[in-house]
Amino acid sequence: MSNRFVNEQKDHHRRQIWTWLYIGVFLIIAALFFSGLSYLGRTSVDNQQESLESALHRDILQCYSIEGMYPPSLDYMKQHYGLSYDESLFFVDYQPIGSNIYPDVTVIRLKN
């Protein structure tokens, strides 16, 4: 009869080990999933910033080729060339230097 209790203790101990193993595997999978989501979010914002920089340079050059001068302001490009971006996510510093000198443009990400 004493052997029966020893086997029950071993079975209980094995079940505890397997339970903790399942919990550990679940936590590892959950951590990998959330880190993957975080990576995708950062990649998306990086792509948006690259697209914004490209659109800015394209609109600046288009304005110069059509009008013979660089855009006098960022608002001018928004009104006449359809530039739009998420202003809560990016700050665009647009400094015109002259009508015939390429402006200084800086895109700064406000949120990560």
Side-chain angles (χ1 to χ4, degrees), residues 27-44:
L27 290 175
I28 290 171
I29 290 171
L32 289 173
F33 176 75
F34 287 115
S35 68
L37 285 179
S38 174
Y39 172 75
L40 288 176
R42 284 191 309 268
T43 302
S44 174

Side-chain angles (χ1 to χ4, degrees), residues 44-59 83-85 90 107:
S44 174
V45 173
D46 290 343
N47 288 341
Q48 287 180 35
Q49 184 171 356
E50 288 175 14
S51 292
L52 175 58
E53 290 169 352
S54 176
L56 281 164
H57 294 296
R58 183 186 60 242
D59 289 347
L83 178 68
S84 65
Y85 61 94
F90 299 106
V107 176

Side-chain angles (χ1 to χ4, degrees), residues 3-39:
N3 192 16
R4 177 176 139 206
F5 292 113
V6 170
N7 285 338
E8 284 181 12
Q9 283 180 339
K10 286 182 182 178
D11 286 343
H12 178 70
H13 185 66
R14 277 191 210 124
R15 274 187 254 131
Q16 277 186 327
I17 290 173
W18 280 106
T19 301
W20 285 109
L21 184 64
Y22 288 140
I23 290 171
V25 168
F26 173 77
L27 290 175
I28 290 171
I29 290 171
L32 289 173
F33 176 75
F34 287 115
S35 68
L37 285 179
S38 174
Y39 172 75

Side-chain angles (χ1 to χ4, degrees), residues 50-70:
E50 288 175 14
S51 292
L52 175 58
E53 290 169 352
S54 176
L56 281 164
H57 294 296
R58 183 186 60 242
D59 289 347
I60 290 168
L61 291 176
Q62 184 177 11
C63 178
Y64 187 77
S65 65
I66 292 172
E67 300 179 23
M69 66 173 197
Y70 289 110

